[in-house]
Amino acid sequence: MEERGMSREMIEALLQEKKLKDLSYERILSSMCTYPHEIAVYAHGMFLESNLGDSGLFRGTREMEDKVIRMLGALLGNENAFGYLSTGGTESNIQAIRAIRNRKRKEGLSDMNIIVPETAHFSFDKIADLLSINVQKASLDEELRVDVNSVERLINDKTIGIVGIAGTTEFGQIDPIKELSGIAMDRDIFLFVDAAFGGFVIPFLDENYEFDFSLDGVSAISIDPHKMGMSTIPAGCILFREEFYLDELVVSTPYLTTKGQCSLTGTRSGASAAATYAVLKYLGKEGLKTIVDECMRLTRLLVDGAKRIGIPPVIEPVMNVATLSFPESEVGRVVNALEERRWRVSMTRTPKSLRAVIMPHTDEETIKLFLEDLEEVV
Ligand code: 0PR
C-alpha cells in the first residue's frame, strides 16, 4: 500500500482499466453465473453494510432471509423447511453433509461414508477432506443419471448419506431422485439433493420431475440464487426438512446479539440476502418461468443447429446445458478454436464433449453467431 491515498478520479481510472480486462458475459457459455437482475443490484447496494453474522443488529435483513427461506422451501415442496442463506453451492454441500456427519458421530459412528454420483461437483472432494469422510462414487446409466443399482451396491453400515443431483454441473441431467428417495426411506439414510443449479430451473420446465421435499425421503436440498435465481454473488441456500439438522451445525456465540450461529462463515452478506429477497418478490414464479422458458428455447436452438451441421448432443438437453459430442481427439481443438473467436465454452470429463450453459445473458443472436463460428471451426 502507498503511504498516501489516491484521488477518486485515479481510482476510477484504475477500476475502469481492470474492468476492461474482465470478460463480459455476452460470449460466455461456460458459466453458471450471470448478470444479476437490476432489482437485485439495487437491493444489494442498499444493504451493503448489513451482516447476517450478527443478525440481531439487522432485523430487517433477518426478516428478508426468513422470507427467502420460506419462499424457496415452498418452491421446493416444503414451506416449513429450515435453513439459511449460504455463500453458494459449496458451502451448502459442506453443511448438509456436516449436519448428518455430526449427528452420526454422536451416535458413535466412525469411518463414515457418503455415496455421490460420478457427476458430483468437485466440492465433494473438499468435503471428503474437511469432514474426514469417505466419498464413494456411484456409476451412471446411459443417460448420465446416477445408476440406482450402483448406489445400492455401495451402501454399507458406515453409509450416512446419499447424494442425488438435480441438474448436474456438466450435463444438466437430473438424477432419479424418486428412486433414491425410496432407497433412503427403506434404509433410513439421509438423502441430500444438490439442486444448486437445477433448483431454479426444474420447477419451471414443461416436463415434470420429482426431485424435492414432496418426496418423503429427501432430507435436505441446496439451491443457489446466484446461479439461475438472478441474485448477486454470494447467494446460496441450504434447506433441511427437520430443524434438528440445523441444530447440529450450531455453535454458541456468547457475545453476539444471537445465541448461536449455524452458518459456516461468521460475517455473512446481508446484501445478497436483500438482493435475493428483492428479485424473488419482483419476478415471482411467473417471471422465473419466463427466464427458464427462454433459456430452454435457446438451448434447443443451439442443439438443433449443431445437429444440422452434423454434431449430435451427448444427451438431449434436460435443462439449459447443451453438450455436443465430438471425437475425443477433436474436442480440445474445437474449444480452443472457439476461444480464439472470443467464445468461452467448457469441456466435460466423461464422455468428453463441448459444454455450453445457456444462461439468461444469452440471446438468440448470440446463438446464431455461435453456430456460425462452430460450423466454420469444424
Ligand atoms: N453443485 C452444483 C451442481 C454445481 O454446479 C456447483 C457449481 C456447485 C454445487 C458449487 O457451487 P458454488 O460454485 O456456488 O460453490 N457449478 C459451477 C461449476 O463449478 C459454478 C461455476 C459458476 C463455474 C460460474 C464457473 C463459472 O464461471 O462449474
Side-chain angles (χ1 to χ4, degrees):
M1 209 190 298
E2 319 288 340
E3 197 52 44
R4 301 190 62 180
M6 291 172 156
S7 69
R8 165 123 201 164
E9 287 69 33
M10 284 168 88
I11 300 297
E12 283 177 6
L14 276 178
L15 293 176
Q16 203 50 46
E17 179 201 320
K18 300 301 176 197
K19 188 77 182 174
L20 286 172
K21 292 187 181 171
D22 284 359
L23 295 183
S24 66
Y25 272 119
E26 277 72 22
R27 286 164 85 91
I28 297 180
L29 302 174
S30 59
S31 176
M32 287 185 157
C33 291
T34 190
Y35 292 114
H37 193 284
E38 171 276 316
I39 198 84
V41 176
Y42 171 78
H44 194 105
M46 192 168 166
F47 286 84
L48 277 179
E49 71 286 9
S50 164
N51 170 21
L52 280 168
D54 197 3
S55 63
L57 301 179
F58 304 100
R59 299 246 173 95
T61 313
R62 177 65 197 265
E63 273 177 34
M64 289 190 281
E65 178 179 36
D66 289 345
K67 285 274 187 331
V68 170
I69 297 299
R70 280 190 91 76
M71 284 191 268
L72 295 184
L75 181 68
L76 300 173
N78 180 2
E79 69 168 332
N80 296 312
F82 301 88
Y84 75 91
L85 296 184
S86 68
T87 49
T90 299
E91 179 177 343
S92 298
N93 287 355
I94 293 170
Q95 293 289 76
I97 304 305
R98 186 172 152 233
I100 186 63
R101 196 277 314 256
N102 289 358
R103 192 166 171 83
K104 292 293 169 182
R105 193 166 55 184
K106 274 192 199 142
E107 292 173 14
L109 210 65
S110 56
D111 302 325
M112 295 171 251
N113 67 66
I114 59 168
I115 300 165
V116 308
E118 254 172 32
T119 40
H121 184 254
F122 54 75
S123 47
F124 285 94
D125 297 334
K126 301 181 185 177
I127 288 171
D129 182 33
L130 279 169
L131 301 178
S132 300
I133 57 166
N134 292 310
V135 175
Q136 316 259 26
K137 306 238 161 128
S139 56
L140 310 177
D141 67 15
E142 268 156 30
E143 290 292 300
L144 307 175
R145 289 177 289 241
V146 75
D147 175 356
V148 285
N149 294 317
S150 169
V151 172
E152 286 214 277
R153 276 196 301 274
L154 286 170
I155 294 176
N156 60 29
D157 56 2
K158 302 284 192 184
T159 304
I160 59 165
I162 304 172
V163 176
I165 311 168
T168 59
T169 308
E170 289 177 293
F171 298 97
Q173 183 54 284
I174 303 169
D175 284 330
I177 308 296
K178 190 174 183 182
E179 280 79 357
L180 294 178
S181 167
I183 296 173
M185 300 276 283
D186 288 347
R187 307 276 208 127
D188 192 21
I189 299 175
F190 180 88
L191 171 60
F192 169 56
V193 176
D194 179 350
F197 185 61
F200 278 108
V201 178
I202 302 167
F204 306 111
L205 292 174
D206 294 336
E207 197 157 334
N208 185 37
Y209 294 90
E210 290 179 279
F211 78 106
D212 62 15
F213 287 118
S214 56
L215 298 167
D216 290 335
V218 172
S219 316
I221 307 180
S222 149
I223 173 172
D224 278 356
H226 71 201
K227 293 192 169 73
M228 284 294 286
M230 307 302 290
S231 189
T232 53
I233 298 170
C237 176
I238 175 70
L239 295 169
F240 294 95
R241 183 187 292 278
E242 309 281 355
E243 192 168 19
F244 60 73
Y245 287 119
L246 216 48
D247 296 339
E248 292 293 346
L249 302 172
V250 171
V251 297
S252 68
T253 49
Y255 54 87
L256 300 188
T257 53
T258 51
K259 283 202 277 307
Q261 190 176 84
C262 60
S263 53
L264 193 60
T265 60
T267 300
R268 188 157 61 93
S269 171
S272 52
T276 305
Y277 172 79
V279 73
L280 296 184
K281 282 282 193 196
Y282 185 88
L283 290 173
K285 286 191 200 166
E286 201 179 45
L288 289 168
K289 179 163 171 48
T290 305
I291 290 168
V292 170
D293 281 349
E294 179 65 359
C295 290
M296 289 306 295
R297 186 181 75 83
L298 297 177
T299 304
R300 278 185 220 106
L301 212 62
L302 192 157
V303 169
D304 291 344
K307 279 182 188 167
R308 271 197 294 280
I309 48 181
I311 309 161
V314 178
I315 56 166
E316 284 300 326
V318 175
M319 295 188 6
N320 46 332
V321 179
T323 43
L324 306 181
S325 191
F326 290 93
E328 178 137 3
S329 55
E330 268 285 280
V331 197
R333 186 193 69 79
V334 174
V335 169
N336 289 337
L338 287 167
E339 194 159 311
E340 274 167 29
R341 294 173 181 230
R342 294 188 300 115
W343 293 103
R344 283 293 187 284
V345 289
S346 51
M347 266 191 289
T348 61
R349 292 165 294 180
T350 2
K352 266 223 158 56
S353 71
L354 183 157
R355 166 182 177 265
V357 188
I358 310 305
M359 294 298 290
H361 56 257
T362 311
D363 61 15
E364 190 163 339
E365 182 62 19
T366 306
I367 300 289
K368 259 180 55 196
L369 294 173
F370 178 78
L371 284 169
E372 280 167 23
D373 277 346
L374 183 68
E375 183 161 20
E376 282 178 31
V377 159
V378 299

